[in-house]
Coordinates of all heavy atoms in Angstrom, one line a residue:
N1 N -14.7 23.1 -30.5 CA -15.2 22.7 -29.2 C -16.5 23.4 -28.9 O -16.6 24.6 -28.9 CB -14.1 23.0 -28.2 CG -14.5 22.6 -26.8 OD1 -15.7 22.6 -26.4 ND2 -13.5 22.2 -26.0
E2 N -17.5 22.6 -28.7 CA -18.9 23.1 -28.5 C -19.0 24.0 -27.3 O -19.7 25.0 -27.3 CB -19.9 21.9 -28.3 CG -21.3 22.4 -28.1 CD -22.3 21.3 -27.9 OE1 -21.9 20.1 -28.0 OE2 -23.4 21.6 -27.6
F3 N -18.2 23.7 -26.2 CA -18.3 24.6 -25.0 C -17.7 26.0 -25.3 O -18.3 27.0 -24.8 CB -17.6 23.9 -23.9 CG -18.3 22.7 -23.4 CD1 -17.7 21.4 -23.6 CD2 -19.5 22.7 -22.8 CE1 -18.3 20.3 -23.2 CE2 -20.2 21.5 -22.4 CZ -19.5 20.3 -22.6
K4 N -16.7 26.0 -26.1 CA -16.1 27.3 -26.4 C -17.1 28.1 -27.3 O -17.2 29.4 -27.1 CB -14.8 27.1 -27.2 CG -14.0 28.4 -27.3 CD -12.6 28.1 -27.6 CE -11.7 29.3 -27.5 NZ -10.3 29.1 -27.3
L5 N -17.8 27.5 -28.2 CA -18.8 28.1 -29.1 C -19.9 28.7 -28.2 O -20.3 29.8 -28.4 CB -19.3 27.2 -30.1 CG -18.3 26.7 -31.2 CD1 -19.0 25.6 -32.0 CD2 -17.8 27.9 -32.0
I6 N -20.4 27.9 -27.3 CA -21.4 28.3 -26.4 C -21.0 29.5 -25.6 O -21.7 30.5 -25.4 CB -21.9 27.2 -25.5 CG1 -22.6 26.1 -26.3 CG2 -22.8 27.7 -24.4 CD1 -22.9 24.8 -25.6
A7 N -19.8 29.5 -25.1 CA -19.2 30.6 -24.3 C -19.2 31.9 -25.1 O -19.6 32.9 -24.6 CB -17.8 30.2 -23.7
E8 N -18.8 31.8 -26.3 CA -18.7 33.0 -27.2 C -20.1 33.5 -27.4 O -20.3 34.8 -27.4 CB -18.0 32.7 -28.5 CG -16.5 32.5 -28.3 CD -15.8 31.8 -29.5 OE1 -16.5 31.3 -30.3 OE2 -14.6 31.9 -29.5
L9 N -21.1 32.7 -27.6 CA -22.4 33.1 -27.8 C -23.0 33.8 -26.5 O -23.7 34.8 -26.6 CB -23.3 32.0 -28.2 CG -23.1 31.4 -29.6 CD1 -23.8 30.1 -29.8 CD2 -23.6 32.5 -30.7
K10 N -22.7 33.2 -25.4 CA -23.2 33.7 -24.1 C -22.6 35.1 -23.9 O -23.3 36.0 -23.4 CB -22.8 32.8 -22.9 CG -23.7 31.6 -22.8 CD -23.2 30.8 -21.6 CE -24.3 30.0 -21.0 NZ -23.9 29.2 -19.8
I11 N -21.3 35.2 -24.1 CA -20.7 36.5 -23.9 C -21.3 37.6 -24.9 O -21.6 38.7 -24.5 CB -19.1 36.4 -24.1 CG1 -18.6 35.6 -22.9 CG2 -18.5 37.8 -24.1 CD1 -17.1 35.1 -23.2
A12 N -21.4 37.2 -26.1 CA -22.0 38.1 -27.1 C -23.4 38.5 -26.7 O -23.8 39.7 -26.7 CB -22.0 37.5 -28.5
N13 N -24.2 37.6 -26.2 CA -25.6 37.8 -25.8 C -25.6 38.8 -24.6 O -26.4 39.7 -24.6 CB -26.3 36.5 -25.5 CG -27.8 36.6 -25.4 OD1 -28.4 37.2 -26.3 ND2 -28.3 36.1 -24.3
D14 N -24.7 38.6 -23.6 CA -24.6 39.5 -22.5 C -24.2 40.9 -22.9 O -24.8 41.9 -22.4 CB -23.7 38.9 -21.5 CG -24.2 37.7 -20.7 OD1 -25.4 37.4 -20.8 OD2 -23.4 37.0 -20.1
L15 N -23.3 41.0 -23.8 CA -22.8 42.3 -24.2 C -23.9 43.0 -25.0 O -24.1 44.2 -24.8 CB -21.6 42.2 -25.1 CG -20.3 41.8 -24.3 CD1 -19.2 41.4 -25.3 CD2 -19.8 43.0 -23.5
Y16 N -24.6 42.3 -25.9 CA -25.8 42.9 -26.6 C -26.8 43.4 -25.6 O -27.4 44.4 -25.8 CB -26.4 41.9 -27.6 CG -25.5 41.5 -28.8 CD1 -25.6 40.3 -29.3 CD2 -24.7 42.5 -29.4 CE1 -24.8 39.9 -30.4 CE2 -23.9 42.1 -30.5 CZ -24.0 40.9 -31.0 OH -23.2 40.5 -32.1
G17 N -27.1 42.6 -24.6 CA -28.0 43.0 -23.6 C -27.6 44.2 -22.8 O -28.5 45.0 -22.4
D18 N -26.3 44.5 -22.7 CA -25.8 45.7 -22.1 C -25.6 46.8 -23.1 O -25.0 47.8 -22.8 CB -24.5 45.4 -21.4 CG -24.6 44.5 -20.2 OD1 -25.8 44.4 -19.6 OD2 -23.6 43.9 -19.8
K19 N -26.1 46.6 -24.4 CA -26.0 47.6 -25.5 C -24.5 47.9 -25.8 O -24.2 48.9 -26.3 CB -26.7 48.8 -25.1 CG -28.2 48.6 -24.9 CD -29.1 49.8 -25.0 CE -30.5 49.6 -24.8 NZ -31.1 48.3 -24.5
K20 N -23.7 46.9 -25.6 CA -22.3 47.0 -26.1 C -22.1 46.2 -27.4 O -21.6 45.1 -27.4 CB -21.3 46.4 -25.0 CG -21.4 47.2 -23.7 CD -20.5 46.6 -22.6 CE -20.6 47.5 -21.4 NZ -19.9 46.9 -20.3
I21 N -22.7 46.8 -28.4 CA -22.9 46.1 -29.7 C -21.6 45.7 -30.4 O -21.4 44.6 -30.8 CB -23.8 47.0 -30.6 CG1 -25.1 47.3 -29.9 CG2 -24.0 46.2 -32.0 CD1 -25.9 46.2 -29.3
K22 N -20.6 46.6 -30.5 CA -19.4 46.3 -31.1 C -18.6 45.2 -30.4 O -18.0 44.3 -31.1 CB -18.5 47.6 -31.2 CG -19.0 48.6 -32.3 CD -18.0 49.7 -32.5 CE -18.6 50.6 -33.5 NZ -17.7 51.7 -33.9
E23 N -18.6 45.3 -29.1 CA -17.9 44.2 -28.3 C -18.6 42.9 -28.6 O -18.0 41.8 -28.7 CB -17.9 44.5 -26.9 CG -17.0 45.7 -26.5 CD -17.8 47.0 -26.5 OE1 -18.8 47.2 -27.2 OE2 -17.4 47.9 -25.7
G24 N -20.0 42.9 -28.6 CA -20.7 41.6 -28.8 C -20.5 41.1 -30.2 O -20.3 39.9 -30.4
D25 N -20.4 42.0 -31.2 CA -20.1 41.5 -32.5 C -18.8 40.8 -32.7 O -18.6 39.9 -33.5 CB -20.1 42.7 -33.5 CG -21.6 43.1 -33.9 OD1 -22.5 42.3 -33.7 OD2 -21.7 44.2 -34.5
K26 N -17.8 41.2 -31.9 CA -16.5 40.5 -31.9 C -16.6 39.1 -31.5 O -16.1 38.2 -32.2 CB -15.5 41.2 -31.0 CG -15.0 42.6 -31.4 CD -14.1 43.2 -30.4 CE -13.9 44.7 -30.8 NZ -13.1 45.4 -29.7
Y27 N -17.4 38.8 -30.5 CA -17.6 37.4 -30.0 C -18.5 36.7 -31.0 O -18.3 35.5 -31.2 CB -18.2 37.4 -28.6 CG -17.2 37.7 -27.6 CD1 -17.0 39.0 -27.1 CD2 -16.3 36.7 -27.1 CE1 -16.0 39.3 -26.2 CE2 -15.3 37.0 -26.1 CZ -15.2 38.3 -25.7 OH -14.2 38.6 -24.8
L28 N -19.5 37.3 -31.6 CA -20.3 36.6 -32.5 C -19.5 36.3 -33.8 O -19.7 35.2 -34.4 CB -21.5 37.5 -32.9 CG -22.6 36.8 -33.7 CD1 -23.3 35.7 -32.8 CD2 -23.7 37.8 -34.1
Q29 N -18.6 37.2 -34.2 CA -17.8 36.9 -35.3 C -16.8 35.7 -35.0 O -16.6 34.8 -35.9 CB -16.9 38.1 -35.7 CG -16.2 38.0 -37.0 CD -17.1 37.8 -38.2 OE1 -18.0 38.5 -38.3 NE2 -16.8 36.8 -39.0
E30 N -16.3 35.6 -33.8 CA -15.5 34.5 -33.4 C -16.3 33.2 -33.5 O -15.8 32.2 -34.0 CB -15.0 34.6 -32.0 CG -13.8 35.6 -31.8 CD -12.6 35.0 -32.5 OE1 -12.2 33.8 -32.3 OE2 -11.9 35.8 -33.3
F31 N -17.5 33.2 -33.0 CA -18.4 32.1 -33.2 C -18.6 31.7 -34.6 O -18.4 30.5 -35.0 CB -19.8 32.3 -32.5 CG -20.8 31.4 -32.9 CD1 -20.9 30.1 -32.4 CD2 -21.7 31.7 -33.9 CE1 -21.8 29.2 -32.8 CE2 -22.7 30.8 -34.4 CZ -22.7 29.5 -33.8
E32 N -18.9 32.6 -35.5 CA -19.2 32.3 -36.9 C -17.9 31.8 -37.6 O -18.0 31.0 -38.5 CB -19.7 33.6 -37.6 CG -21.1 33.9 -37.1 CD -21.7 35.2 -37.8 OE1 -20.9 36.0 -38.4 OE2 -22.9 35.4 -37.7
T33 N -16.8 32.3 -37.2 CA -15.5 31.8 -37.8 C -15.2 30.3 -37.4 O -14.8 29.6 -38.2 CB -14.4 32.7 -37.3 OG1 -14.6 34.0 -37.8 CG2 -13.0 32.2 -37.9
K34 N -15.6 29.9 -36.2 CA -15.2 28.6 -35.7 C -16.3 27.6 -35.8 O -16.0 26.4 -35.8 CB -14.9 28.7 -34.2 CG -13.7 29.6 -33.9 CD -13.5 29.7 -32.4 CE -12.3 30.7 -32.1 NZ -12.3 31.0 -30.7
C35 N -17.5 28.0 -36.0 CA -18.7 27.0 -36.0 C -18.8 26.4 -37.4 O -19.1 27.1 -38.4 CB -20.0 27.7 -35.6 SG -21.3 26.5 -35.4
A36 N -18.6 25.1 -37.5 CA -18.7 24.5 -38.8 C -20.2 24.1 -39.1 O -20.9 23.7 -38.2 CB -17.9 23.2 -38.8
L37 N -20.6 24.3 -40.4 CA -21.9 23.9 -40.8 C -21.9 22.6 -41.6 O -20.8 22.4 -42.2 CB -22.5 25.1 -41.6 CG -22.9 26.3 -40.9 CD1 -23.3 27.4 -41.8 CD2 -24.1 26.0 -39.9
P38 N -22.9 21.9 -41.7 CA -24.2 22.0 -40.9 C -24.0 21.5 -39.5 O -23.2 20.6 -39.2 CB -25.1 21.2 -41.7 CG -24.3 20.1 -42.3 CD -22.9 20.7 -42.6
L39 N -24.9 22.0 -38.6 CA -24.9 21.5 -37.3 C -25.9 20.3 -37.2 O -27.0 20.3 -37.8 CB -25.4 22.6 -36.3 CG -24.4 23.7 -36.1 CD1 -25.0 24.8 -35.3 CD2 -23.1 23.2 -35.5
D40 N -25.6 19.4 -36.3 CA -26.6 18.3 -36.0 C -27.5 18.7 -34.9 O -27.0 18.8 -33.7 CB -25.8 17.0 -35.7 CG -26.7 15.9 -35.3 OD1 -27.9 15.9 -35.6 OD2 -26.2 15.0 -34.6
A41 N -28.7 19.0 -35.2 CA -29.6 19.5 -34.2 C -29.8 18.6 -33.0 O -29.9 19.1 -31.8 CB -31.0 19.8 -34.8
E42 N -29.8 17.3 -33.2 CA -30.0 16.4 -32.1 C -28.9 16.4 -31.1 O -29.1 16.3 -29.9 CB -30.1 14.9 -32.7 CG -31.4 14.7 -33.5 CD -32.6 14.9 -32.7 OE1 -32.7 14.4 -31.5 OE2 -33.5 15.6 -33.2
S43 N -27.6 16.5 -31.6 CA -26.5 16.4 -30.6 C -26.0 17.8 -30.2 O -25.1 17.9 -29.4 CB -25.4 15.7 -31.2 OG -24.9 16.3 -32.4
N44 N -26.7 18.9 -30.6 CA -26.2 20.2 -30.3 C -27.4 21.1 -29.8 O -27.5 22.3 -30.1 CB -25.6 20.9 -31.5 CG -24.3 20.3 -32.0 OD1 -23.4 20.4 -31.3 ND2 -24.3 19.7 -33.1
Q45 N -28.2 20.5 -28.9 CA -29.4 21.2 -28.4 C -29.0 22.5 -27.7 O -29.6 23.5 -27.9 CB -30.2 20.3 -27.5 CG -30.8 19.1 -28.2 CD -32.1 19.5 -28.9 OE1 -32.8 20.3 -28.5 NE2 -32.3 18.9 -30.1
V46 N -28.1 22.4 -26.8 CA -27.7 23.6 -26.0 C -27.1 24.7 -26.9 O -27.4 25.9 -26.8 CB -26.7 23.2 -24.9 CG1 -26.2 24.5 -24.1 CG2 -27.4 22.3 -23.9
L47 N -26.2 24.3 -27.8 CA -25.6 25.2 -28.8 C -26.7 25.9 -29.6 O -26.7 27.1 -29.8 CB -24.6 24.5 -29.7 CG -23.9 25.3 -30.7 CD1 -23.2 26.5 -30.1 CD2 -23.0 24.5 -31.6
M48 N -27.7 25.1 -30.1 CA -28.8 25.7 -30.9 C -29.6 26.7 -30.1 O -29.9 27.7 -30.6 CB -29.7 24.5 -31.4 CG -29.0 23.5 -32.2 SD -28.4 24.0 -33.7 CE -29.5 23.2 -34.8
H49 N -29.8 26.4 -28.8 CA -30.5 27.3 -28.0 C -29.8 28.7 -27.9 O -30.4 29.7 -28.0 CB -30.7 26.7 -26.6 CG -31.0 27.6 -25.5 ND1 -32.4 28.0 -25.3 CD2 -30.3 28.3 -24.6 CE1 -32.4 28.9 -24.3 NE2 -31.2 29.1 -23.8
W50 N -28.5 28.6 -27.7 CA -27.7 29.9 -27.6 C -27.6 30.6 -28.9 O -27.5 31.8 -28.9 CB -26.4 29.6 -26.9 CG -26.5 29.5 -25.5 CD1 -26.5 28.4 -24.7 CD2 -26.8 30.6 -24.6 NE1 -26.8 28.7 -23.4 CE2 -26.9 30.0 -23.3 CE3 -27.0 31.9 -24.7 CZ2 -27.2 30.8 -22.2 CZ3 -27.2 32.7 -23.6 CH2 -27.4 32.2 -22.4
I51 N -27.6 29.9 -30.0 CA -27.6 30.5 -31.3 C -28.8 31.3 -31.5 O -28.8 32.5 -31.8 CB -27.4 29.5 -32.4 CG1 -26.0 28.9 -32.4 CG2 -27.7 30.1 -33.8 CD1 -25.8 27.6 -33.3
E52 N -30.0 30.7 -31.2 CA -31.3 31.3 -31.3 C -31.4 32.6 -30.4 O -31.8 33.6 -30.9 CB -32.4 30.4 -31.0 CG -32.6 29.3 -32.1 CD -33.8 28.4 -31.7 OE1 -33.8 27.9 -30.6 OE2 -34.6 28.1 -32.6
N53 N -31.0 32.4 -29.2 CA -31.1 33.5 -28.2 C -30.2 34.7 -28.6 O -30.6 35.8 -28.5 CB -30.7 33.0 -26.8 CG -31.8 32.4 -26.1 OD1 -33.0 32.4 -26.5 ND2 -31.5 31.6 -25.0
T54 N -29.0 34.4 -29.0 CA -28.0 35.5 -29.3 C -28.4 36.3 -30.5 O -28.5 37.5 -30.5 CB -26.6 34.9 -29.4 OG1 -26.3 34.2 -28.2 CG2 -25.6 36.0 -29.6
Y55 N -28.7 35.5 -31.6 CA -29.1 36.2 -32.8 C -30.5 37.0 -32.7 O -30.7 38.1 -33.2 CB -29.2 35.3 -34.0 CG -27.8 34.9 -34.5 CD1 -27.2 33.8 -34.1 CD2 -27.2 35.7 -35.5 CE1 -25.9 33.5 -34.6 CE2 -25.9 35.4 -35.9 CZ -25.3 34.3 -35.5 OH -24.0 34.0 -35.9
R56 N -31.4 36.4 -31.9 CA -32.6 37.1 -31.6 C -32.4 38.4 -30.8 O -33.0 39.4 -31.1 CB -33.6 36.1 -30.9 CG -35.0 36.7 -30.6 CD -35.8 35.7 -29.9 NE -37.1 36.4 -29.4 CZ -38.2 36.3 -30.1 NH1 -38.3 35.7 -31.3 NH2 -39.3 36.9 -29.6
T57 N -31.5 38.3 -29.8 CA -31.2 39.5 -29.0 C -30.7 40.6 -29.8 O -31.3 41.8 -29.7 CB -30.2 39.1 -27.9 OG1 -30.7 38.1 -27.0 CG2 -29.8 40.3 -27.1
I58 N -29.8 40.4 -30.7 CA -29.2 41.5 -31.5 C -30.2 42.0 -32.5 O -30.3 43.2 -32.8 CB -27.8 41.2 -32.0 CG1 -27.2 42.4 -32.7 CG2 -27.9 40.0 -33.0 CD1 -27.0 43.6 -31.7
A59 N -31.0 41.0 -33.1 CA -32.0 41.4 -34.1 C -33.1 42.3 -33.4 O -33.5 43.3 -34.0 CB -32.6 40.2 -34.7
I60 N -33.5 42.0 -32.3 CA -34.5 42.8 -31.6 C -34.0 44.2 -31.2 O -34.6 45.2 -31.3 CB -35.1 42.1 -30.3 CG1 -36.0 40.9 -30.8 CG2 -35.8 43.0 -29.4 CD1 -36.4 40.0 -29.7
Y61 N -32.7 44.2 -30.8 CA -32.0 45.5 -30.6 C -32.2 46.4 -31.8 O -32.6 47.5 -31.7 CB -30.6 45.3 -30.2 CG -29.8 46.6 -30.2 CD1 -29.8 47.4 -29.1 CD2 -29.0 47.0 -31.3 CE1 -29.1 48.6 -29.1 CE2 -28.3 48.2 -31.3 CZ -28.4 49.0 -30.2 OH -27.7 50.2 -30.2
Y62 N -31.8 45.9 -33.0 CA -31.8 46.7 -34.2 C -33.2 47.0 -34.6 O -33.5 48.1 -35.1 CB -31.0 46.1 -35.3 CG -29.6 46.3 -35.2 CD1 -28.7 45.3 -34.9 CD2 -29.0 47.6 -35.4 CE1 -27.3 45.5 -34.8 CE2 -27.7 47.8 -35.3 CZ -26.8 46.8 -35.0 OH -25.5 47.0 -34.9
F63 N -34.1 46.1 -34.4 CA -35.5 46.3 -34.7 C -36.1 47.5 -34.0 O -36.8 48.3 -34.5 CB -36.3 45.0 -34.4 CG -37.8 45.1 -34.8 CD1 -38.1 44.8 -36.1 CD2 -38.8 45.4 -33.9 CE1 -39.5 44.9 -36.5 CE2 -40.1 45.4 -34.3 CZ -40.5 45.2 -35.6
Y64 N -35.8 47.5 -32.7 CA -36.4 48.6 -31.9 C -35.6 49.9 -32.0 O -36.1 51.0 -31.6 CB -36.5 48.2 -30.4 CG -37.7 47.3 -30.2 CD1 -37.5 46.0 -29.9 CD2 -39.0 47.8 -30.2 CE1 -38.6 45.1 -29.8 CE2 -40.1 47.0 -30.1 CZ -39.9 45.7 -29.8 OH -41.0 44.8 -29.7
Q65 N -34.4 49.8 -32.7 CA -33.7 51.0 -33.0 C -34.2 51.6 -34.4 O -33.8 52.6 -34.8 CB -32.2 50.8 -33.2 CG -31.5 50.4 -31.9 CD -31.4 51.6 -30.9 OE1 -31.1 52.7 -31.3 NE2 -31.8 51.3 -29.7
G66 N -35.2 50.9 -35.0 CA -35.7 51.3 -36.2 C -35.0 50.8 -37.5 O -35.3 51.2 -38.6
N67 N -34.0 50.0 -37.2 CA -33.2 49.4 -38.3 C -33.6 48.0 -38.7 O -32.9 47.0 -38.3 CB -31.7 49.5 -38.0 CG -30.8 49.3 -39.2 OD1 -31.2 48.7 -40.2 ND2 -29.5 49.7 -39.0
K68 N -34.8 47.9 -39.3 CA -35.3 46.6 -39.6 C -34.5 45.8 -40.6 O -34.4 44.6 -40.4 CB -36.8 46.7 -40.1 CG -37.7 47.3 -39.1 CD -39.1 47.4 -39.6 CE -40.0 48.0 -38.5 NZ -41.4 48.3 -39.0
Q69 N -33.8 46.5 -41.5 CA -33.0 45.7 -42.4 C -31.8 45.0 -41.7 O -31.5 43.9 -42.0 CB -32.4 46.7 -43.5 CG -31.6 46.0 -44.6 CD -32.3 44.9 -45.3 OE1 -33.5 45.1 -45.7 NE2 -31.7 43.8 -45.5
R70 N -31.2 45.8 -40.8 CA -30.1 45.2 -40.0 C -30.6 44.0 -39.2 O -29.9 43.0 -39.0 CB -29.4 46.3 -39.2 CG -28.2 45.8 -38.5 CD -27.0 46.2 -39.4 NE -25.8 46.1 -38.6 CZ -24.8 45.3 -38.9 NH1 -24.8 44.5 -40.0 NH2 -23.7 45.2 -38.2
A71 N -31.8 44.2 -38.6 CA -32.3 43.1 -37.8 C -32.5 41.9 -38.6 O -32.2 40.8 -38.2 CB -33.7 43.6 -37.2
K72 N -33.1 42.0 -39.8 CA -33.3 40.9 -40.7 C -32.0 40.2 -41.1 O -32.0 39.0 -41.3 CB -34.1 41.3 -41.9 CG -35.6 41.7 -41.6 CD -36.3 42.1 -42.8 CE -37.7 42.5 -42.5 NZ -38.5 42.9 -43.6
E73 N -30.9 41.0 -41.2 CA -29.6 40.5 -41.6 C -29.1 39.5 -40.5 O -28.6 38.4 -40.8 CB -28.6 41.6 -41.8 CG -28.9 42.3 -43.1 CD -28.0 43.6 -43.2 OE1 -27.1 43.8 -42.4 OE2 -28.3 44.4 -44.1
Y74 N -29.3 39.9 -39.2 CA -28.9 39.1 -38.1 C -29.7 37.8 -38.1 O -29.2 36.7 -37.8 CB -28.9 39.8 -36.8 CG -27.6 40.6 -36.6 CD1 -27.6 41.9 -36.9 CD2 -26.5 40.0 -36.0 CE1 -26.4 42.7 -36.7 CE2 -25.4 40.7 -35.8 CZ -25.3 42.1 -36.1 OH -24.2 42.8 -35.9
I75 N -31.0 37.9 -38.3 CA -31.9 36.8 -38.3 C -31.4 35.8 -39.4 O -31.3 34.6 -39.2 CB -33.4 37.2 -38.5 CG1 -33.9 37.9 -37.3 CG2 -34.2 35.9 -38.8 CD1 -33.8 37.2 -36.0
A76 N -31.1 36.3 -40.6 CA -30.7 35.5 -41.7 C -29.4 34.8 -41.3 O -29.2 33.6 -41.6 CB -30.5 36.3 -43.0
R77 N -28.5 35.5 -40.6 CA -27.2 34.9 -40.2 C -27.5 33.7 -39.2 O -26.9 32.7 -39.3 CB -26.3 35.9 -39.6 CG -25.7 36.8 -40.6 CD -25.0 38.0 -40.0 NE -23.9 37.8 -39.1 CZ -23.3 38.7 -38.5 NH1 -23.6 40.0 -38.6 NH2 -22.3 38.4 -37.7
G78 N -28.4 33.9 -38.3 CA -28.8 32.9 -37.3 C -29.4 31.7 -38.0 O -29.2 30.6 -37.6
L79 N -30.2 32.0 -39.0 CA -31.0 30.9 -39.6 C -30.0 30.0 -40.4 O -30.4 28.8 -40.7 CB -32.0 31.4 -40.6 CG -33.3 32.0 -39.8 CD1 -34.2 32.7 -40.8 CD2 -34.0 30.9 -39.1
K80 N -28.8 30.4 -40.7 CA -27.8 29.6 -41.4 C -27.5 28.4 -40.4 O -27.2 27.3 -40.9 CB -26.5 30.3 -41.7 CG -26.7 31.3 -42.9 CD -25.3 31.8 -43.3 CE -24.5 32.4 -42.2 NZ -23.3 33.1 -42.6
Y81 N -27.5 28.7 -39.1 CA -27.2 27.6 -38.1 C -28.4 26.9 -37.6 O -28.2 25.7 -37.3 CB -26.4 28.3 -36.9 CG -25.2 29.0 -37.4 CD1 -25.2 30.4 -37.6 CD2 -24.0 28.3 -37.6 CE1 -24.0 31.0 -38.0 CE2 -22.9 29.0 -38.0 CZ -22.9 30.3 -38.2 OH -21.7 31.0 -38.6
V82 N -29.5 27.5 -37.6 CA -30.7 26.9 -37.1 C -31.9 27.2 -38.1 O -32.7 28.0 -37.9 CB -31.1 27.5 -35.7 CG1 -32.3 26.7 -35.1 CG2 -30.0 27.5 -34.7
P83 N -31.8 26.4 -39.2 CA -32.8 26.7 -40.3 C -34.2 26.4 -39.8 O -34.5 25.6 -38.9 CB -32.4 25.6 -41.3 CG -31.0 25.2 -41.0 CD -30.9 25.4 -39.6
N84 N -35.1 27.2 -40.3 CA -36.6 27.1 -39.9 C -36.9 27.4 -38.5 O -37.9 26.9 -38.0 CB -37.1 25.8 -40.4 CG -36.9 25.5 -41.8 OD1 -37.1 26.4 -42.7 ND2 -36.4 24.3 -42.1
S85 N -36.0 28.1 -37.8 CA -36.3 28.4 -36.4 C -37.4 29.4 -36.3 O -37.3 30.6 -36.7 CB -35.0 29.0 -35.7 OG -35.4 29.6 -34.5
K86 N -38.5 29.0 -35.7 CA -39.7 29.9 -35.5 C -39.3 30.9 -34.5 O -39.8 32.1 -34.5 CB -40.9 29.1 -35.0 CG -41.4 28.0 -36.0 CD -41.8 28.6 -37.3 CE -42.2 27.5 -38.3 NZ -41.9 27.9 -39.7
F87 N -38.5 30.6 -33.5 CA -38.0 31.6 -32.5 C -37.3 32.7 -33.1 O -37.5 33.9 -32.8 CB -37.1 30.9 -31.5 CG -36.8 31.7 -30.3 CD1 -37.8 32.1 -29.4 CD2 -35.5 32.1 -30.0 CE1 -37.5 32.8 -28.2 CE2 -35.2 32.8 -28.9 CZ -36.2 33.2 -28.0
L88 N -36.4 32.4 -34.1 CA -35.7 33.5 -34.8 C -36.6 34.2 -35.8 O -36.7 35.5 -35.8 CB -34.5 32.9 -35.6 CG -33.3 32.6 -34.8 CD1 -32.2 31.9 -35.7 CD2 -32.7 33.9 -34.2
E89 N -37.4 33.5 -36.6 CA -38.2 34.1 -37.6 C -39.3 35.1 -37.0 O -39.6 36.1 -37.5 CB -38.9 33.0 -38.4 CG -38.0 32.3 -39.3 CD -38.6 31.1 -40.0 OE1 -39.7 30.7 -39.7 OE2 -38.0 30.6 -41.0
S90 N -39.8 34.7 -35.8 CA -40.8 35.5 -35.2 C -40.2 36.8 -34.6 O -41.0 37.7 -34.2 CB -41.5 34.7 -34.1 OG -40.7 34.5 -33.0
A91 N -38.9 37.0 -34.5 CA -38.3 38.2 -33.9 C -38.6 39.4 -34.6 O -38.9 40.5 -34.0 CB -36.8 38.0 -33.7
V92 N -38.6 39.4 -35.9 CA -38.7 40.7 -36.7 C -39.7 40.6 -37.9 O -39.9 41.5 -38.6 CB -37.3 41.1 -37.2 CG1 -36.4 41.5 -36.1 CG2 -36.7 40.1 -38.1
Y93 N -40.4 39.4 -38.0 CA -41.3 39.3 -39.1 C -42.7 39.3 -38.7 O -43.0 39.1 -37.6 CB -41.0 38.0 -39.9 CG -39.7 38.0 -40.6 CD1 -38.6 37.4 -40.0 CD2 -39.5 38.7 -41.8 CE1 -37.3 37.4 -40.6 CE2 -38.3 38.7 -42.4 CZ -37.2 38.1 -41.8 OH -36.0 38.1 -42.4

């Protein structure tokens, strides 16, 4: 269900914003477990938006913690769902 996936991403994004990384990772893992690939970009605009925002949020967190490798790992994970996303790619490169 797309709405459940979006909810998991929103919760993860909020937790990451509050620096509750482990808790956010639980919701991101739930999303990754349930989200089937490939996604149809045309019919999943809102979902794509939340994927980009959530993976970018956690990547920037790690980037500013000095852990560029971990940041790039999250970007790579996000790019599996939103290939060629300039919004994601520009976060740490």
Side-chain angles (χ1 to χ4, degrees):
N1 181 326
E2 182 182 351
F3 294 111
K4 193 165 191 159
L5 294 173
I6 292 168
E8 287 166 346
L9 289 167
K10 282 180 151 182
I11 293 168
N13 196 48
D14 288 347
L15 289 166
Y16 291 147
D18 291 339
K19 301 198 180 356
K20 296 178 180 175
I21 306 308
K22 286 187 180 189
E23 293 93 331
D25 278 345
K26 289 177 191 173
Y27 285 93
L28 193 64
Q29 188 63 47
E30 281 294 312
F31 163 78
E32 290 178 344
T33 300
K34 295 174 184 169
C35 187
L37 289 171
L39 291 175
D40 175 21
E42 291 300 314
S43 63
N44 291 294
Q45 294 281 325
V46 175
L47 180 59
M48 303 293 250
H49 166 81
W50 279 104
I51 291 169
E52 288 179 315
N53 279 344
T54 304
Y55 283 94
R56 183 180 170 95
T57 297
I58 189 58
I60 288 173
Y61 168 82
Y62 280 111
F63 184 82
Y64 284 107
Q65 293 293 312
N67 192 341
K68 292 180 183 177
Q69 183 59 41
R70 189 91 166 122
K72 289 179 181 181
E73 289 169 10
Y74 276 96
I75 294 299
R77 286 167 62 183
L79 288 171
K80 286 191 304 187
Y81 301 98
V82 190
N84 305 314
S85 167
K86 300 298 178 213
F87 188 67
L88 282 175
E89 290 173 349
S90 67
V92 295
Y93 294 100

